[in-house]
């Protein structure tokens, strides 16, 4: 492989020219206390850091950024830390999904407008990971992802707690009086014990694993617990590796190939991963012009077994998964289903990366001969209620609902649901199908994680903990239950979900991949003709830009102006 020379680097345009503007770049770098020897003849490595004081998943990133810099210096690079917007899943409203594309755009433009030769992408909290990868893919300079890693296991009265999953579980028990307010406070105090992302197989763990399988982070990096000293060493090693990647000119487009995306999707299915991965991976592939669609996910799910026994679908947590061998061990069980010739940031193939991997706990990571299920975790549904598709996590639902028919109980929006759900007079039974409208990309706005619709209190009091629920929203990867999500087109833009009425019969057939509204085409057409489109929510600012350019869930919810591989010119330097 031909290696670049200094003159080939982007940063040489800023630092290497013999003109007045380059004088300014050099003198201002000297102003910051650097010596000429710090940058002269070296690649500039942009460390895109999504740390903030309101993102608990990334509270260790200040230290990790210093460790990345240590690795960059060791390898002969010049590290420059560039802060980027921090998408904090617990705090940012209405949803971090509304701002994923903003971070993707910021990442791309940071890397383009500054003298970056390579990038270290620091993320992990749900939407941060795909946003960073989307921006890096569009910019297409050598890049490596440093995952935040999962937090430690939670604990309450000797019971292991999993973030998100046990929140929903014990909230239901509190509502019906099975635990006390003091119990609830103790759970609150014990469920999140360290820096890092959710330690269940939520969206954060799913996407960090998916990116490792995609080849964009170092082998074995995605499951390292955030407080583990291995995580510090991984950060420094990533800093060292990116310098070589710059000289090798190993770019995202060389790694993020169609085969690599299939590896990533296979990983999501084998781990019982989050439904959010579908939206994010479609968006990431769209930045490279790759034809990854819903049908690809469903086809892979049908042939890839579910092997990782991790909550909410299973029993264990990401800390256990790491000790059991981590992602290389799981991928080792899937070798014949993977494109092992795919190149990774290591400079080797995926097959070489996992050649010596082994499973150390066969309860946590099942062997192929003993899968949790012969099919993967997610299924894609279609029918007259979701012409462009909907998704469900089949591994996290009550199996009795795999085939179900019941009457709709419809809520116009989230506020309507919050006001009426626990009304004792609500006409709802355990067989009902709860429907939430106006929770999609436009309707939410931002397609919030409202899709694990709460179960009415009077149903909970019967001892029932699952029902069929349908919406155009997403749900947290830490959630569980029979929740049909991402219904496309969404109700806000006139998708069929907009026309469902109380009492309409809805059929769900997961094995048959079918979601059907038992209403005639003629009746649906009449309801659509009488429908009034809702009023636009934003007339200015980012909300207006979002409304003008967001695509539907089946297209990845990217901005239409950010998709594709059309060339963007390098900045002129004058």
């Amino acid at each position: 492989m031909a290696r670049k020379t200094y003159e080939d680097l982007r940063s040489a345009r800023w630092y290497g020219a013999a003109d007045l503007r380059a004088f300014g770049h050099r003198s201002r770098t000297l102003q910051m206390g650097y010596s000429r020897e710090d940058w002269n003849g070296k690649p500039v490595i942009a460390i895109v850091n999504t740390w903030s004081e309101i993102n608990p998943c990334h509270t260790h990133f200040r230290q990790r950024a210093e460790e990345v810099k240590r690795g960059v210096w060791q390898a002969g690079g010049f590290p420059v830390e560039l802060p980027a917007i921090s998408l904090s899943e617990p705090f940012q409203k209405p949803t971090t999904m509304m701002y994923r594309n903003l971070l993707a755009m910021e990442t791309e433009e940071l890397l383009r407008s500054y003298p970056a030769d390579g990038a270290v992408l620091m993320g992990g909290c749900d939407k941060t990971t795909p946003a960073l990868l989307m921006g890096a893919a569009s910019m297409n300079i050598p890049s490596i992802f440093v995952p935040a890693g999962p937090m430690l296991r939670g604990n309450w009265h000797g019971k292991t707690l999993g973030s998100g999953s046990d929140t929903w579980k014990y909230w239901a028990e509190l509502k019906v009086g099975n635990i006390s307010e003091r119990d609830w406070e103790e759970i609150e105090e014990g469920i999140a014990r360290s820096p890092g992302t959710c330690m269940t197989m939520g969206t954060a763990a799913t996407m960090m694993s998916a990116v490792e399988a995609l080849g964009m982070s170092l082998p074995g990096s995605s499951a390292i617990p955030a407080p583990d000293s291995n995580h510090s060493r991984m950060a420094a090693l990533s800093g060292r590796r990116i310098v070589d990647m710059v000289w090798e000119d190993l770019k995202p487009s060389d790694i993020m190939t169609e085969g690599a995306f299939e590896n990533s999707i296979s990983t999501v299915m084998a781990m019982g991963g989050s439904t959010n991965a579908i939206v994010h991976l479609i968006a990431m592939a769209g930045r490279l012009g790759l034809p990854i669609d819903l049908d690809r996910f469903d086809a892979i799910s049908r042939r890839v077994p579910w092997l990782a026994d991790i909550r909410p679908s299973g029993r264990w947590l990401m800390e256990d998964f790491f000790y059991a061998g981590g992602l290389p061990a799981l991928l080792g069980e899937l070798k014949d289903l993977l494109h092992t010739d795919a190149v990774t940031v290591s400079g080797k193939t995926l097959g070489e990366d996992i050649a010596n991997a082994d499973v150390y706990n066969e309860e946590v990571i099942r062997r192929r001969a003993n899968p949790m299920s012969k099919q993967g975790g997610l299924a894609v549904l279609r029918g007259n209620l979701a012409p462009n598709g909907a998704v469900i996590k089949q591994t996290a639902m009550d199996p009795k609902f795999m085939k179900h028919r019941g009457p709709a109980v419809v809520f116009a929006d989230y506020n309507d649901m919050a006001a009426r759900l626990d009304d004792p007079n609500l006409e709802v039974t355990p067989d009902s199908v709860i429907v939430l409208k106006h929770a999609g990309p436009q309707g939410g706005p931002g397609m919030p994680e409202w899709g694990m619709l709460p179960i009415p209190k009077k149903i909970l009091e019967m001892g029932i903990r699952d029902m069929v629920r349908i919406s155009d929203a997403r749900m947290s990867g830490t959630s569980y239950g029979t929740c049909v999500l991402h219904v496309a087109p969404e109700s806000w833009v006139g998708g069929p979900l907009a026309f469902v009425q109380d009492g309409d019969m809805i059929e769900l057939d997961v094995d048959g991949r079918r979601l059907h509204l038992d209403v005639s085409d003629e009746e649906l057409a009449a309801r659509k003709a009488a429908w009034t489109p809702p009023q636009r929510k934003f007339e200015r600012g980012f909300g207006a830009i979002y409304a003008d350019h967001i695509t539907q869930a089946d297209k990845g919810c990217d901005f239409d102006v950010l998709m594709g591989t059309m060339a963007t010119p390098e900045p002129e330097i004058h």
Side-chain angles (χ1 to χ4, degrees), residues 187-246:
I187 292 167
E188 190 176 280
E189 292 160 2
I191 201 166
R193 299 173 42 239
S194 78
T197 66
C198 292
M199 73 308 242
T200 47
M201 186 45 63
T203 305
T206 300
M207 290 310 301
M208 290 187 291
S209 302
V211 168
E212 181 183 331
L214 189 64
M216 287 298 293
S217 55
L218 291 176
S221 62
S222 62
I224 305 172
D228 194 310
S229 60
N230 286 288
H231 200 270
S232 297
R233 290 192 288 273
M234 178 272 293
L237 183 57
S238 298
R240 291 199 294 274
R241 178 59 193 147
I242 189 60
V243 176
D244 282 339
M245 288 175 65
V246 169

Side-chain angles (χ1 to χ4, degrees), residues 92-236:
Q92 193 165 33
K93 307 300 178 186
T95 168
T96 53
M97 187 64 178
M98 188 164 173
Y99 299 101
R100 183 200 67 181
N101 299 343
L102 182 61
L103 174 57
M105 184 183 293
E106 182 180 16
T107 301
E108 178 181 350
E109 298 305 328
L110 279 174
L111 299 180
R112 177 172 292 111
S113 59
Y114 285 109
D117 298 306
V120 178
L121 312 168
M122 299 183 62
C125 194
D126 292 15
K127 314 307 176 294
T128 307
T129 298
L132 291 168
L133 270 292
M134 289 160 69
S138 293
M139 181 55 197
N140 202 32
I141 61 172
S143 302
I144 192 169
F145 179 70
V146 173
M151 68 175 95
L152 299 177
R153 306 181 190 97
N155 182 272
W156 174 61
H157 291 188
K159 298 182 178 68
T160 297
L161 297 176
S163 46
S165 303
D166 281 316
T167 304
W168 324 129
K169 172 184 172 181
Y170 287 110
W171 177 247
E173 300 309 319
L174 179 69
K175 283 180 70 173
V176 296
N178 290 338
I179 63 171
S180 69
E181 287 287 350
R182 181 56 193 152
D183 290 333
W184 181 244
E185 288 176 1
E186 289 175 348
I187 292 167
E188 190 176 280
E189 292 160 2
I191 201 166
R193 299 173 42 239
S194 78
T197 66
C198 292
M199 73 308 242
T200 47
M201 186 45 63
T203 305
T206 300
M207 290 310 301
M208 290 187 291
S209 302
V211 168
E212 181 183 331
L214 189 64
M216 287 298 293
S217 55
L218 291 176
S221 62
S222 62
I224 305 172
D228 194 310
S229 60
N230 286 288
H231 200 270
S232 297
R233 290 192 288 273
M234 178 272 293

Side-chain angles (χ1 to χ4, degrees), residues 288-342:
L288 294 151
L290 298 175
I292 304 296
D293 59 13
L294 288 177
D295 291 338
R296 187 83 62 104
F297 282 84
D298 198 60
I300 291 174
S301 184
R302 288 180 183 275
R303 68 174 184 259
V304 173
W306 170 31
L307 300 180
D309 189 356
I310 302 175
R311 300 183 196 183
S313 296
R315 298 173 295 163
W316 304 91
L317 296 172
M318 287 302 293
E319 189 176 345
D320 307 297
F321 182 72
F322 175 63
Y323 302 143
L327 192 65
L330 181 129
L331 296 179
E333 290 297 303
L334 300 175
K335 276 183 184 177
D336 60 305
L337 299 175
L338 301 174
H339 299 274
T340 54
D341 58 344

Side-chain angles (χ1 to χ4, degrees), residues 46-58:
I47 301 170
V48 183
N49 189 355
T50 53
W51 173 89
S52 84
E53 287 189 334
I54 202 166
N55 192 335
C57 305
H58 296 177

